[in-house]
Amino acid sequence: MIEFLWRGILIGIGATVLMDIWALVLHRVFGQPKANWAPGGRWFWHLSRGKVFHESIAAAEPYHHELALGWTGHDAIGIVYGVIFAWIVGPGWFVSPTFVPAWIFGIVTVGAGWFLFQPGMGLGWAVSKTPRPNKVRFLNLVAHTVFALGFYGTASLIG
């Protein structure tokens, strides 16, 4: 059981690191804005005080360590997703990992962003209040596909 938990933690770490590398590639190669987890950290801070939805997270009371909290929350969620995925697919998947279950789970996890995190920050359901929601939605789906590749790749490496 402990080994199984560790495998879930490891694939969560691997997937989150790969997703962060992908964000750096998007920034450096394609000129996308650099990942900024400070607003997410502010949202996590207010979430811990019972406030889930904001008109605008930028207008919410700031938190001194919101950037660090945002990155910590982002990484912790990736690890939790790894453990949940490991529990869903079971130990057999780690013997012979395949991409499709990881990809399905990765796409499903987009829902947390679209229906909790983004509206919670005042961006609307599935970023509907942003200037180019379809572009952001597409990038979300690609990022979570990369996340799924991280599950699969890490599981393949740790055998």
Side-chain angles (χ1 to χ4, degrees):
M1 180 66 172
I2 294 296
E3 179 182 339
F4 183 63
L5 177 64
W6 276 110
R7 287 178 185 267
I9 290 169
L10 288 174
I11 66 168
I13 291 169
T16 304
V17 167
L18 188 62
M19 189 178 190
D20 291 342
I21 291 169
W22 173 247
L24 285 173
V25 168
L26 284 176
H27 173 66
R28 292 192 177 148
V29 177
F30 299 104
Q32 287 297 309
K34 193 174 182 181
N36 177 11
W37 281 98
R42 186 177 295 186
W43 183 77
F44 287 128
W45 178 255
H46 286 276
L47 184 64
S48 72
R49 280 148 179 67
K51 176 98 169 140
V52 178
F53 295 100
H54 298 263
E55 285 297 316
S56 168
I57 198 64
E61 180 184 348
Y63 170 61
H64 183 67
H65 302 289
E66 60 195 21
L67 180 59
L69 181 58
W71 277 104
T72 301
H74 162 72
D75 294 343
I77 288 169
I79 292 167
V80 168
Y81 280 162
V83 171
I84 292 169
F85 178 71
W87 178 74
I88 290 170
V89 295
W93 183 82
F94 286 92
V95 173
S96 182
T98 55
F99 176 66
V100 172
W103 185 56
I104 291 168
F105 184 80
I107 296 303
V108 167
T109 62
V110 173
W114 285 358
F115 303 113
L116 178 63
F117 184 62
Q118 293 163 350
M121 296 204 328
L123 302 173
W125 302 103
V127 293
S128 60
K129 293 182 181 178
T130 62
R132 298 186 63 199
N134 287 333
K135 177 185 177 185
V136 178
R137 291 172 190 144
F138 174 75
L139 290 172
N140 290 161
L141 290 168
V142 171
H144 282 252
T145 297
V146 170
F147 185 70
L149 283 169
F151 277 171
Y152 170 70
T154 305
S156 297
L157 287 174
I158 64 175

